[in-house]
Amino acid sequence: MKMRYLDLMERALEAYSIEHIDRYFADVKKAGLTEHGFARLTANIGTMLSFGRKAELESRFIEMMDFCCAHVSVDRAANDFSIQEMIVCIDLLDESGAIAKERLDEWRTLLKKRVIYNEVARSADQLAYNWVLFSCVSEFLRMKRGLCPLDMEFIDMQLATQVVHLDTNGMYRDAAIHPPMVYDNVPRTLFSILLFYGYDGKYRELIDETLRRAGLLNLKIQSVTGEIPYGGRSNQFYHNEAHFACVAEYEARRYAKEGNVALAAQFKRVATDALASIERGLASEPIHHVKNRFPTESGYGCEDYAYFDKYMITVASFLNWARIFCDESIEPASPMTEACAFELSDDFHKLFLRSGDYFAELDTNADPHYDASGLGRIHKRGAPSEICLSCPGTATPSFKIDRDDAGDFAIAAGALVDRELVFKTSGEYKVLSKTCDGERAEATLSCEICGREIEFDVMLSSSSVSLCVRGDGKVAVLLPTFVFDGEEKSEIAVGDKTVEIKYKGYSCRYISSGEIVDTGRIGCNRNGHYALLSAVGDGRVEVDISIEKT
């Protein structure tokens, strides 16, 4: 397993040609360390060297590391994130003997200088989010390696500003409303690093219990494709699953030490599935850092800050933490197939359903800058995630798309209002019930559309996903139909009551009790383009969805 992590870290590094690295370094020399991508790239090259890999980059690495270490007391933006990775890199190089000890000592001496962090808390009641936690971990590792005096008062002050963001499940709310799913797992990884390296301060027991409680959620909310839940900023990047692997490896190690072999194996399965998901994503050429095939330079699906140079190497950075946490003596459990229906706290407003090889995720009150309300994910184990739907789309994205006329979309309830189909893709759905019986998982939700009460049933079995929308008058289900991933188009066949999408050796079929209608609109999410079709019926409309190999 550790070798798989290293192989995939190397694969992520291979996205940077020597010419790319030289160009990147030239830019950094001019502008300084304005962000953490370059320092992370440097640390990951050093990690590869420590394992006898990428020897052709040794001279470049030494120059890059000289620069990064010399600038920790000059530049601000990189240090919060990368000091911790630079320290671990130096440790690995020391253990392996890959770089002369004299040079390592020079770097350690530079890291003893005052580090300028971009974000630190100045008081325990300051409002601060995950950036401060990165600074806290970096400074703690400096202390543990004797590069600065031990100052637990400083560390505990930083942590005081972080533990207030934990919800009732121990999940991290990185925003007052609509907290993003990725930035629940990132802080939990950082908490894990603190405990792994021996933090024993004021918040140790609270953090340990938080990790235990929230870790158990990941057994339920990971997709059958190995993916982290959708929702909010920084989503649909390949580094997302690396965070999931970190949390899972840490928890697997915990339960193995406690003698709970079964639970340790379940967490190892989560880590293995997350790793396999990244392996599939990075297998194609050219390598992309976001889950689509649009040209990297287009920035499609990316926030302004989420560009290639920063977020590609982030995959390797967090895979390295997962590798460090990894206990190879733990064998993964078999995939979970029993039915499950699970809801997160009101802060995260998510509902998950699972049965057999099918998985569904609903957002009952989506952030309109990133997602849409409704059923935003249907995955089938082994199938391309986007063939049905992996995340919703919004007309007002905080990430880049390539159409000005894109509409909101999820698999959503709708109604005919004044001769126009209106769909519930914004605002709130209420969960009326959720049940599972070992073979089926189902939920009933309600919403209001222009003053009309509509009910929306979602049921998963081992063979399909069944939907039903009920209400007075004409009702509908919005059916996003995958068209284009930025490189490859799907094959779509539309009948009176059927839709079939063929893509990458799989077929996704919608079979409706009512008429299939083309809304004439196109939706864009981070994965690509979708034609927005709908199924329409009088008082009731049912849709059966199945995904199979062709």
Side-chain angles (χ1 to χ4, degrees):
M1 188 78 169
K2 285 181 180 284
M3 192 63 67
R4 284 181 69 187
Y5 282 123
L6 282 171
D7 289 345
L8 200 50
M9 289 168 63
E10 186 171 9
R11 176 62 179 165
L13 181 57
E14 287 171 350
Y16 300 78
S17 66
I18 289 177
E19 293 75 20
H20 187 147
I21 293 170
D22 289 345
R23 184 174 64 251
Y24 194 3
F25 195 9
D27 291 342
V28 170
K29 286 176 181 176
K30 291 177 183 177
L33 289 172
T34 59
E35 47 79 21
H36 50 278
F38 183 78
R40 278 184 162 166
L41 177 63
T42 301
N44 278 283
I45 293 173
T47 298
M48 289 296 104
L49 291 170
S50 75
F51 286 96
R53 306 185 183 203
K54 296 298 179 186
E56 70 276 12
L57 296 177
E58 181 177 335
S59 60
R60 283 178 175 81
F61 163 73
I62 291 173
E63 186 182 356
M64 292 163 70
M65 195 68 163
D66 284 346
F67 183 92
C68 289
C69 290
H71 279 249
V72 297
S73 58
V74 177
D75 293 334
R76 179 184 298 272
N79 298 328
D80 312 64
F81 300 86
S82 50
I83 289 289
Q84 54 192 271
E85 297 178 26
M86 292 161 65
I87 289 171
V88 169
C89 170
I90 292 170
D91 287 348
L92 288 169
L93 291 167
D94 202 354
E95 292 169 12
S96 67
I99 300 292
K101 190 175 187 308
E102 293 75 18
R103 180 74 71 162
L104 301 180
D105 289 342
E106 289 175 13
W107 293 336
R108 288 181 173 128
T109 297
L110 289 170
L111 292 180
K112 288 181 179 180
K113 292 186 176 182
R114 183 176 69 93
V115 174
I116 303 176
Y117 292 112
N118 196 75
E119 295 284 344
V120 294
R122 305 298 179 186
S123 67
D125 58 357
Q126 178 180 328
L127 179 63
Y129 288 100
N130 81 86
W131 200 315
V132 160
L133 191 51
F134 276 99
S135 302
C136 175
V137 172
S138 283
E139 191 66 359
F140 181 72
L141 287 190
R142 278 216 315 148
M143 295 175 188
K144 294 296 288 185
R145 289 297 177 262
L147 302 176
C148 64
L150 186 64
D151 184 357
M152 292 306 297
E153 183 177 346
F154 172 84
I155 298 299
D156 285 340
M157 182 189 299
Q158 309 312 302
L159 293 176
T161 70
Q162 299 301 292
V163 296
V164 297
H165 298 308
L166 303 173
D167 78 350
T168 54
N169 291 320
M171 294 178 68
Y172 186 98
R173 298 166 294 189
D174 199 55
I177 58 172
H178 305 305
M181 294 302 300
V182 172
Y183 289 96
D184 160 48
N185 278 272
V186 171
R188 286 198 268 146
T189 295
L190 296 170
F191 284 144
S192 300
I193 295 169
L194 283 173
L195 297 193
F196 185 85
Y197 283 94
Y199 168 73
D200 196 24
K202 179 178 179 180
Y203 296 100
R204 188 196 180 286
E205 288 186 11
L206 174 59
I207 290 172
D208 185 54
E209 179 54 31
T210 291
L211 292 175
R212 183 188 295 273
R213 187 159 22 105
L216 292 169
L217 303 181
N218 285 17
L219 301 176
K220 299 178 180 180
I221 65 178
Q222 183 185 36
S223 167
V224 291
T225 60
E227 294 176 64
I228 190 174
Y230 75 79
R233 65 187 179 91
S234 296
N235 207 277
Q236 297 299 301
F237 295 90
Y238 290 111
H239 69 70
N240 291 181
E241 282 64 50
H243 305 313
F244 232 58
C246 287
V247 171
E249 290 286 10
Y250 183 86
E251 292 302 308
R253 176 182 286 269
R254 171 208 296 279
Y255 287 107
K257 285 182 178 179
E258 293 178 358
N260 192 333
V261 177
L263 201 47
Q266 289 186 47
F267 278 106
K268 182 63 78 170
R269 173 188 50 78
V270 170
T272 303
D273 287 354
L275 186 59
S277 175
I278 304 171
E279 287 171 335
R280 289 191 299 272
L282 300 190
S284 55
E285 293 282 359
I287 304 174
H288 286 61
H289 69 304
V290 63
K291 296 175 184 177
N292 64 57
R293 303 301 298 169
F294 288 84
T296 295
E297 60 271 17
S298 73
Y300 186 96
C302 303
E303 294 92 340
D304 289 343
Y305 61 79
Y307 46 87
F308 181 92
D309 279 349
K310 183 195 290 185
Y311 266 10
M312 185 71 247
I313 202 61
T314 299
V315 178
S317 291
F318 281 90
L319 286 174
N320 195 38
W321 289 118
R323 181 195 64 80
I324 289 169
F325 294 158
C326 175
D327 179 345
E328 293 192 286
S329 69
I330 305 168
E331 293 294 328
S334 300
M336 185 185 300
T337 57
E338 62 270 24
C340 177
F342 182 72
E343 198 171 358
L344 296 181
S345 71
D346 290 343
D347 294 297
F348 286 90
H349 40 77
K350 291 296 187 87
L351 173 65
F352 301 89
L353 302 172
R354 175 200 300 270
S355 179
D357 289 336
Y358 282 96
F359 183 90
E361 177 183 347
L362 299 95
D363 194 326
T364 59
N365 188 19
D367 182 343
H369 299 298
Y370 294 96
D371 302 297
S373 298
L375 175 53
R377 169 171 289 179
I378 295 178
H379 282 171
K380 171 76 177 290
R381 192 185 311 277
S385 297
E386 61 272 48
I387 191 171
C388 181
L389 190 60
S390 200
C391 64
T394 173
T396 54
S398 290
F399 52 87
K400 189 173 182 179
I401 57 175
D402 61 355
R403 296 182 66 106
D404 295 329
D405 60 346
D408 295 334
F409 70 95
I411 299 172
L416 189 67
V417 180
D418 296 330
R419 298 183 179 181
E420 181 180 356
L421 286 172
V422 178
F423 295 97
K424 187 68 174 180
T425 53
S426 62
E428 187 176 3
Y429 284 82
K430 295 180 181 178
V431 179
L432 301 181
S433 66
K434 60 181 186 297
T435 59
C436 58
D437 62 6
E439 296 182 357
R440 298 194 315 167
E442 53 190 305
T444 297
L445 301 91
S446 69
C447 64
E448 185 177 295
I449 300 177
C450 299
R452 291 164 58 182
E453 289 294 325
I454 304 292
E455 290 195 351
F456 184 24
D457 299 328
V458 182
M459 191 274 284
L460 271 64
S461 70
S462 59
S463 59
S464 67
V465 177
S466 299
L467 313 175
C468 179
V469 172
R470 305 186 304 277
D472 294 336
K474 293 280 187 181
V475 294
V477 181
L478 183 59
L479 298 176
T481 303
F482 186 58
V483 174
F484 184 51
D485 65 7
E487 181 179 82
E488 181 178 342
K489 290 186 177 180
S490 64
E491 298 177 29
I492 301 172
V494 181
D496 291 341
K497 294 186 177 182
T498 62
V499 181
E500 183 174 18
I501 307 110
K502 291 184 178 180
Y503 177 69
K504 292 187 175 179
Y506 279 81
S507 172
C508 175
R509 294 184 180 88
Y510 299 147
I511 301 175
S512 171
S513 65
E515 180 186 8
I516 298 294
V517 174
D518 189 344
T519 69
R521 297 187 300 130
I522 290 290
C524 297
N525 65 6
R526 295 188 195 254
N527 306 132
H529 297 172
Y530 288 74
L532 303 185
L533 309 183
S534 65
V536 182
D538 191 3
R540 179 186 183 95
V541 63
E542 298 176 358
V543 177
D544 192 70
I545 302 173
S546 61
I547 304 171
E548 302 294 341
K549 267 190 173 181
T550 54

